[in-house]
């Protein structure tokens, strides 16, 4: 059955992308670290007797500390974000197996999307000229379909394409049911994993007779300019270009400076909108990110001057202050014209 709300949101989203550069939010994990949650905080009352440790399961906080998740979303929206990611980066049965919480996957994704939807609707109501959108976050899982985890058995695979497809489909159903406008397949280190997610989304589009805006964001892992499974930026683009995507881009692993040449490859060769949400520089010796909002905005200025992007945000180490600096910057520049690639 056609979803009139979703149709209206899709029209609104495309209209906004034609007019301006949209701002994605920053890092959820970075913000949650500020709360200094301990094991009992992650458990809450509902999971106080859970047999396994759950500290570090940030997705679970949508059930046990929903007010914190809502507060983080609200801070990013106040900073100027147009698109808010759901707190569901690890929301598959595959990733939740680490905590023996596979049975919670639908609820985790549904409730996370509901929290983001509620806050976005509040901000849209306050300023209808700046509608806010919910992007259902779909992480890569902790397994890879293309590579063997055993150096002594290169033919071995820890997961199959079909197992990934089934897990992703369950996640996507819940994200849509909870009110997501967009599905964001992100931090892709193995394009075969992403293809399983995209196959699942395609199935849902057919079953529900809806068009789902799909954002795809890969990650270049180091100075080699390749994903973990060995693809260059151009190869990554080619391997997903047969799909009807809203945007393609890169996030994580690198800072804004290091990401520039790979965004140029996408911008010059794709008819899709281009997204980027780099880290706040590279991590220091303690795994922290030192790049200031001003430094990051200064580097991103090159993106907008070269007209490389349509959607911009932040990944690891970024905060509402980073998003505010980026939002203020990109408001002064027109978006890249998606159909005018060379």
């Amino acid at each position: 059955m056609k979803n009139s709300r979703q149709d209206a949101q899709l029209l609104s989203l495309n209209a906004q992308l034609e007019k301006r550069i949209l701002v994605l939010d920053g890092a959820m994990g970075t913000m949650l670290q500020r709360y200094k949650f301990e094991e009992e905080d992650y458990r809450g009352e509902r999971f106080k007797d859970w047999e396994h440790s759950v500290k570090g399961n940030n997705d679970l906080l949508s059930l046990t500390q929903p007010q914190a998740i809502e507060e983080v979303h609200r801070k990013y929206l106040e900073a100027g974000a147009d698109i808010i990611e759901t707190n569901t980066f690890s929301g598959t049965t595959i990733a939740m197996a680490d905590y023996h919480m596979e049975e919670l996957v639908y609820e985790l994704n549904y409730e996370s999307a509901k929290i983001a939807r509620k806050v976005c609707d509040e901000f849209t109501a306050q300023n209808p000229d700046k509608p806010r959108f919910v992007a259902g976050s779909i992480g890569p899982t902790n397994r890879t379909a293309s590579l063997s985890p055993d150096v002594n058995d290169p033919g071995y695979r820890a997961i199959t394409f079909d197992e990934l497809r089934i897990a992703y489909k369950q996640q996507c159903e819940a994200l849509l049911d909870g009110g997501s406008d967009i599905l964001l397949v992100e931090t892709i280190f193995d394009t075969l994993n992403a293809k399983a997610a995209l196959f699942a989304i395609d199935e849902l589009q057919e079953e529900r007779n809806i068009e789902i805006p799909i954002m795809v964001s890969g990650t270049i892992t180091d100075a080699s300019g390749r994903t973990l499974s060995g693809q260059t930026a151009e190869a990554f683009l080619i391997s997903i270009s047969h799909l009807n995507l809203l945007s393609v881009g890169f996030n994580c692993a690198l800072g804004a400076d290091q990401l520039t040449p790979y965004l140029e490859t996408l911008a010059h060769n794709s008819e899709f909108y281009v997204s980027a949400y780099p880290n706040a520089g590279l991590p220091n010796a303690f795994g922290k990110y030192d790049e200031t909002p001003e430094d990051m905005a200064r580097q991103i200025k090159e993106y907008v001057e070269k007209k490389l992007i349509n959607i911009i945000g932040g990944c690891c180490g970024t905060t509402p202050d980073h998003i505010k600096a980026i939002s203020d910057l990109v408001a002064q520049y027109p978006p890249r014209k998606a159909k005018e690639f060379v």
Side-chain angles (χ1 to χ4, degrees):
M1 182 180 291
K2 280 283 186 182
N3 185 323
S4 57
R5 188 200 69 82
Q6 197 158 40
D7 288 345
Q9 286 292 86
L10 178 57
L11 287 171
S12 176
L13 177 60
N14 280 310
Q16 294 298 317
L17 281 164
E18 287 298 310
K19 288 194 294 189
R20 59 193 179 91
I21 297 169
L22 296 191
V23 178
L24 190 67
D25 60 4
M28 174 62 77
T30 298
M31 294 299 290
L32 290 175
Q33 286 173 10
R34 297 182 174 186
Y35 290 86
K36 296 183 168 35
F37 287 138
E38 297 296 338
E39 180 73 29
E40 59 268 25
D41 301 306
Y42 277 87
R43 288 174 177 267
E45 185 64 25
R46 178 175 170 184
F47 301 101
K48 66 179 181 180
D49 297 323
W50 198 258
E51 294 180 359
H52 309 277
S53 174
V54 295
K55 185 178 179 181
N57 184 356
N58 284 349
D59 293 29
L60 182 63
L61 296 173
S62 292
L63 302 183
T64 58
Q65 302 289 341
Q67 73 288 345
I69 304 303
E70 183 176 326
E71 187 174 43
V72 172
H73 288 330
R74 196 174 296 279
K75 286 179 178 177
Y76 279 124
L77 289 167
E78 288 169 349
D82 299 290
I83 303 171
I84 290 294
E85 288 190 58
T86 56
N87 179 41
T88 55
F89 187 80
S90 300
T92 57
T93 51
I94 297 161
M96 281 296 136
D98 288 353
Y99 303 97
H100 305 271
M101 287 184 157
E102 297 96 321
E103 295 301 315
L104 291 172
V105 161
Y106 185 92
E107 185 183 2
L108 284 171
N109 285 278
Y110 180 80
E111 293 299 329
S112 293
K114 273 185 68 177
I115 294 169
R117 176 82 274 146
K118 173 194 168 191
V119 186
C120 280
D121 286 349
E122 284 178 17
F123 276 76
T124 299
Q126 291 167 17
N127 183 4
D129 292 334
K130 186 179 169 67
R132 313 301 177 100
F133 304 94
V134 177
S137 170
I138 302 164
T141 83
N142 49 7
R143 300 191 189 178
T144 169
S146 292
L147 304 170
S148 171
D150 183 355
V151 293
N152 297 311
D153 186 1
Y156 172 71
R157 296 292 182 270
I159 193 97
T160 67
F161 182 92
D162 212 43
E163 286 170 333
L164 284 164
R165 177 191 64 80
I166 292 166
Y168 281 129
K169 189 172 183 180
Q170 182 185 17
Q171 181 180 28
C172 292
E173 285 176 323
L175 288 170
L176 291 172
D177 292 348
S180 296
D181 303 302
I182 302 162
L183 291 180
L184 169 54
V185 183
E186 64 173 321
T187 322
I188 298 162
F189 60 83
D190 181 349
T191 308
L192 192 56
N193 283 39
K195 281 177 174 278
L198 294 167
F199 192 95
I201 294 169
D202 220 27
E203 284 186 323
L204 283 173
Q205 290 188 116
E206 188 171 341
E207 289 170 11
R208 298 190 178 197
N209 190 27
I210 56 173
E211 183 179 347
I212 303 167
I214 306 165
M215 295 176 64
V216 170
S217 185
T219 187
I220 301 292
T221 51
D222 55 36
S224 70
R226 294 174 181 269
T227 64
L228 185 66
S229 55
Q231 284 191 313
T232 62
E234 190 169 18
F236 170 71
L237 174 63
I238 291 168
S239 65
I240 57 171
S241 285
H242 61 288
L243 293 153
N244 181 27
L245 304 177
L246 177 73
S247 70
V248 63
F250 289 116
N251 73 289
C252 204
L254 302 176
D257 260 0
Q258 294 88 358
L259 206 55
T260 305
Y262 313 117
L263 292 176
E264 288 178 325
T265 296
L266 298 183
H268 296 159
N269 294 283
S270 174
E271 62 181 5
F272 306 127
Y273 294 115
V274 172
S275 72
Y277 47 116
N279 292 347
L282 298 176
N284 61 26
F286 304 101
K288 302 293 184 182
Y289 294 85
D290 300 322
E291 200 163 85
T292 67
E294 295 73 25
D295 286 341
M296 193 170 181
R298 190 160 49 247
Q299 292 169 27
I300 284 171
K301 189 175 182 182
E302 183 178 6
Y303 298 177
V304 291
E305 287 179 339
K306 291 183 174 180
K307 296 183 179 177
L308 300 180
I309 55 167
N310 303 93
I311 302 169
I312 183 70
C315 205
C316 303
T318 57
T319 66
D321 289 340
H322 289 83
I323 297 306
K324 175 71 163 62
I326 292 168
S327 177
D328 289 347
L329 168 75
V330 301
Q332 306 168 46
Y333 292 85
R336 165 185 169 272
K337 293 297 180 185
K339 305 302 181 186
E340 294 177 9
F341 66 100
V342 292

